[in-house]
Amino acid sequence: MAVALKENYRRALDEQKKEVRELVLAGLEQIKDGKVKDFNTVCDRLEKKYGG
């Protein structure tokens, strides 16, 4: 059972890393398009979402 829980945790962590990476890339695109002034704004949004 512990192995299954560890595997589920690893999968959830991998998914979260993937989502964060996609959000960062989307934030960089927003900066490039002039929708956001700087990367700190993007990071602030991620911190709010993930409790950083």
Side-chain angles (χ1 to χ4, degrees):
M1 177 145 176
V3 173
L5 289 174
K6 188 175 181 180
E7 181 64 23
N8 286 341
Y9 176 76
R10 187 190 62 77
R11 284 184 187 158
L13 188 60
D14 288 346
E15 276 298 311
Q16 189 175 40
K17 286 179 182 179
K18 181 180 174 184
E19 184 178 345
V20 169
R21 190 172 24 244
E22 289 172 358
L23 290 170
V24 168
L25 291 174
L28 290 172
E29 281 297 316
Q30 289 176 352
I31 292 168
K32 182 178 165 185
D33 294 341
K35 295 177 183 173
V36 178
K37 290 185 180 189
D38 62 24
F39 195 65
N40 287 333
T41 304
V42 174
C43 292
D44 288 345
R45 283 192 220 152
L46 289 172
E47 285 182 32
K48 285 180 184 177
K49 182 170 183 168
Y50 291 99

